[in-house]
Amino acid sequence: MTRMQDKEFFKKLFEAAVAAADPQRTIAAHLPEKPKGRTIVIGAGKGSAQMASAFEKAWDGPLEGLVVTRYGFGVACERIEIIEASHPVPDAAGLVASKRLLETVSGLTSDDLVVALISGGGSALLPSPPEGMTLDDEIAVNRALLASGAPISAMNAVRKHLSTIKGGRLAAAAYPARVFSLIVSDIPGDNPAFVASGPTVADAITREDALRIVERYSLALPAAALKHLQSAAADAPQPSDAVFAGHEHRVIASAAVSLEASADAARSLGVEAVVLSDAIEGEAREVAHVHSALAKQVLAKNQPFAKPVVLLSGGETTVTVRGKGKGGRNSEFLLSLALDIDGYDGISAFAADTDGIDGSEDNAGAFADSGSIARLLAKGLDASAYLNGNDAWSAFNAIGDLFVPGPTGTNVNDLRAILIR
């Protein structure tokens, strides 16, 4: 296969993964019972607008509502209002959206139904600082978390204790209405309380747990945030709280399902596929070392899998930011892997975020192969320097290997694929 054929192969795997998580396919199979009273739809996340559109089409009764998504991710809906705000760093539009969501679920009765459409990205899209903190404080918290290298579960444990909407608080505000949450999981392990920091799903993590995370990752939080975490006011509602009685949640799409869809797509193209894991976490460049070592073992010895084969994995790696370059975790993973497989003909790779955006730029990820480093050197560029500067976007942009599909309408986190032939 040529380099271009490899790219087309990887694109087909990506398309299969996204299609498996398409809310137009998944929501209709997970509708709640109709209520006696009103149906109120709320939501937050990078896939929430597409989820809202799908829910409108599937629901044959009256409804109204409001969801918030990332700038550029909105779609037209007839009865549900779509608000756009900033991700991955919160902004004032998100603050307004949070306030309006809380207002939307206030004053309901036990006859009413709240349908919550939750997907990854909701944490940044729902800034709602508690008393004593400002939006600037929450932005500073978010920047510190994004640069820390902490796994998403740890980041969200801190976020939900510095908020008036996360950690089940949005669902609590809807009491006594019943809340039915439909969740597209971007979290390794698919814990619904971790997706978007669980605005409608409480969990047992405490503020003491959050403080230990602050200490473990040496997080430089604003003084107001640290003061709040040290007070009882930060305590989040527990799952046993009576306000959550009768609530339900369904995870309707996940990395595991999408990876199997990618594997099926590979097999239909004549390549055996192996899913290594749907819940890989860790520093992106270190995860790349493990993947590259396995790929080289397959290339040299047909162990533990016979080639041709594509190795698939999902989950969410992290990047401890030390430089000032452009990039995201998928492109950083690939640049590290490209250095490892330099000159190993027969290995090519792909990594992308299923929401269509890797980090803060317009690409979902990139492509790499055994010749990537040579192509950079031919342009007088040092791959290691780019990696050390957290500037993988610039490296792949220089050799035309960025992957830019645009917003996909869903979000089940990362898809990594390594082809050995």
Side-chain angles (χ1 to χ4, degrees):
M1 296 173 74
T2 66
R3 182 176 164 222
M4 187 57 67
Q5 287 173 322
D6 284 357
K7 286 186 176 183
E8 291 304 315
F9 173 80
F10 289 132
K11 286 178 183 178
K12 286 182 170 58
L13 270 54
F14 181 82
E15 290 165 0
V18 169
D22 185 345
Q24 300 289 349
R25 296 186 179 191
T26 56
I27 278 183
H30 297 279
L31 297 178
E33 290 184 16
K34 289 185 175 62
K36 294 179 182 178
R38 300 161 64 195
T39 299
I40 308 294
V41 178
I42 57 173
K46 287 182 277 188
S48 64
Q50 286 78 2
M51 294 173 77
S53 174
F55 190 84
E56 278 192 343
K57 293 173 183 175
W59 191 255
D60 62 3
L63 63 85
E64 58 193 291
L66 170 74
V67 306
V68 56
T69 192
R70 178 178 173 150
Y71 290 124
F73 281 50
V75 297
C77 289
E78 295 180 2
R79 293 169 287 173
I80 301 170
E81 182 182 353
I82 308 298
I83 294 180
E84 296 185 356
S86 178
H87 179 281
V89 177
D91 69 355
L95 191 66
V96 170
S98 294
K99 181 179 179 182
R100 289 196 57 200
L101 281 170
L102 288 166
E103 291 171 349
T104 297
V105 300
S106 67
L108 301 179
T109 74
S110 58
D111 287 335
D112 298 325
L113 170 69
V114 173
V115 178
L117 308 175
I118 307 299
S119 61
S123 295
L125 293 165
L126 292 177
S128 187
E131 185 176 355
M133 284 180 60
T134 65
L135 175 61
D136 285 341
D137 289 328
E138 186 156 347
I139 289 171
V141 168
N142 213 59
R143 290 189 188 280
L145 289 169
L146 290 172
S148 69
I152 189 66
S153 56
M155 287 196 279
N156 287 355
V158 174
R159 285 166 169 156
K160 68 178 58 181
H161 287 91
L162 294 171
S163 174
T164 64
I165 198 168
K166 302 179 179 77
R169 293 179 179 87
L170 181 56
Y175 182 81
R178 181 168 65 99
V179 178
F180 188 91
S181 300
L182 296 172
I183 299 169
V184 173
S185 173
D186 67 335
I187 298 294
D190 298 329
N191 184 333
F194 288 169
V195 180
S197 299
T200 59
V201 182
D203 72 3
I205 290 176
T206 66
R207 65 183 174 89
E208 288 79 16
D209 295 322
L211 284 166
R212 282 190 284 272
I213 290 167
V214 170
E215 182 178 1
R216 177 179 177 184
Y217 291 96
S218 302
L219 295 175
L221 300 186
L226 194 57
K227 180 179 178 182
H228 183 74
L229 271 183
Q230 292 169 338
S231 73
D235 289 332
Q238 295 294 293
S240 58
D241 195 306
V243 299
F244 301 122
H247 290 200
E248 293 182 65
H249 60 263
R250 306 271 178 85
V251 175
I252 63 171
S254 68
V257 173
S258 286
L259 283 168
E260 287 301 333
S262 292
D264 288 343
R267 293 179 189 120
S268 74
L269 295 168
V271 178
E272 184 52 56
V274 176
V275 176
L276 301 177
S277 172
D278 63 11
I280 289 178
E281 295 181 284
E283 193 73 20
R285 63 183 68 189
E286 300 300 328
V287 172
H289 295 327
V290 176
H291 281 66
S292 63
L294 183 55
K296 287 187 281 190
Q297 180 82 359
V298 172
L299 182 70
K301 300 181 179 180
N302 273 331
Q303 295 175 342
F305 313 111
K307 56 182 182 288
V309 66
V310 62
L311 309 179
L312 302 171
S313 68
E316 182 171 6
T317 62
T318 51
V319 174
T320 301
V321 179
R322 300 179 178 88
K324 297 182 179 181
K326 298 178 180 180
R329 58 184 182 265
N330 287 291
S331 50
E332 178 139 334
F333 165 88
L334 273 180
L335 189 56
S336 177
L337 185 135
L339 284 161
D340 287 350
I341 64 171
D342 180 31
Y344 283 84
D345 292 340
I347 302 177
S348 57
F350 168 80
D353 195 320
T354 51
D355 65 20
I357 299 293
D358 184 34
S360 59
E361 302 306 314
D362 63 352
N363 66 310
F367 304 93
D369 58 45
S370 57
S372 295
I373 304 305
R375 291 193 292 276
L376 284 165
L377 285 173
K379 291 179 174 288
L381 303 176
D382 183 346
S384 295
Y386 277 115
L387 184 61
N388 291 336
N390 301 119
D391 199 13
W393 182 94
S394 296
F396 287 114
N397 184 54
I399 56 176
D401 280 342
L402 292 175
F403 175 55
V404 188
T408 65
T410 192
N411 181 21
V412 291
N413 238 314
D414 302 335
L415 170 66
R416 292 175 291 273
I418 303 173
L419 176 63
I420 306 103
R421 58 180 188 274

